[in-house]
Amino acid sequence: QLILSDKDREKLATLETAQNVANTIRGLSEKINTFGVSGRITGAPRRFLGGAAQTNVDIARYNSVRSGFVSNVARTLGEKGTLAEGDVQRAIAYLPTIYDTAAVAKGKLETLDSILAGARNSIVETSTKKLSELNGGSFGQTKKGLKYKILP
């Protein structure tokens, strides 16, 4: 069993939200980033117009989600307070555009997944203590088998 501070639980919740955003973006990206280099060049105007005019619903939804949730991603990358334009641009660079090839889109999302997993591991490894390492107090167990420690 591990104990996390309220602050660390909040950090993990923020990371979980960002991972959910990344997963949503991945699902949408897999519908629209299906082309290679030649399709990237020849299809760009059609993708732009389809998203702008909302005749391509998948692209319109993708653009909305990408711009609407970039702040969640920025916060998991360590940005605090009011986000400046530079903070947003750094975060949005990890998200595929409607013009990225399938390989580039996949690579960007894999990079983001790796960053989020690293942040999660860092929080858990550096901010937790095993119950047995805490001094004082007494141990208990709930009826459902959850172990706890009452601290002095």
Side-chain angles (χ1 to χ4, degrees):
Q1 262 73 30
L2 301 171
I3 293 179
L4 285 171
S5 70
D6 289 342
K7 184 178 179 180
D8 290 333
R9 278 195 297 277
E10 186 178 318
K11 287 179 187 176
L12 287 175
T14 301
L15 283 169
E16 186 66 26
T17 298
Q19 187 63 63
N20 290 338
V21 169
N23 291 342
T24 299
I25 286 175
R26 178 179 289 102
L28 292 169
S29 175
E30 287 172 351
K31 292 180 180 181
I32 61 172
N33 298 102
T34 58
F35 45 86
V37 175
S38 63
R40 178 180 193 267
I41 296 166
T42 60
R46 186 173 59 251
R47 283 189 295 282
F48 173 78
L49 292 173
Q54 296 187 349
T55 56
N56 186 320
V57 175
D58 290 331
I59 288 176
R61 285 182 58 216
Y62 180 82
N63 284 337
S64 178
V65 169
R66 184 176 186 263
S67 63
F69 289 103
V70 71
S71 64
N72 295 89
V73 175
R75 298 223 185 276
T76 62
L77 300 175
E79 305 300 346
K80 306 267 189 254
T82 303
L83 296 173
E85 183 62 24
D87 301 332
V88 172
Q89 291 307 312
R90 275 190 297 282
I92 210 163
Y94 288 103
L95 305 177
T97 70
I98 62 171
Y99 308 111
D100 287 334
T101 64
V104 169
K106 182 180 177 192
K108 284 182 176 182
L109 289 167
E110 286 174 352
T111 299
L112 180 59
D113 285 342
S114 177
I115 290 168
L116 295 175
R120 187 178 304 105
N121 291 340
S122 175
I123 291 168
V124 171
E125 289 175 13
T126 61
S127 305
T128 58
K129 293 183 180 180
K130 293 181 181 176
L131 286 176
S132 59
E133 294 174 353
L134 296 174
N135 295 328
S138 60
F139 287 95
Q141 188 168 345
T142 66
K143 291 179 182 178
K144 293 187 177 185
L146 179 65
K147 294 181 182 178
Y148 62 90
K149 187 171 187 176
I150 299 172
L151 301 173

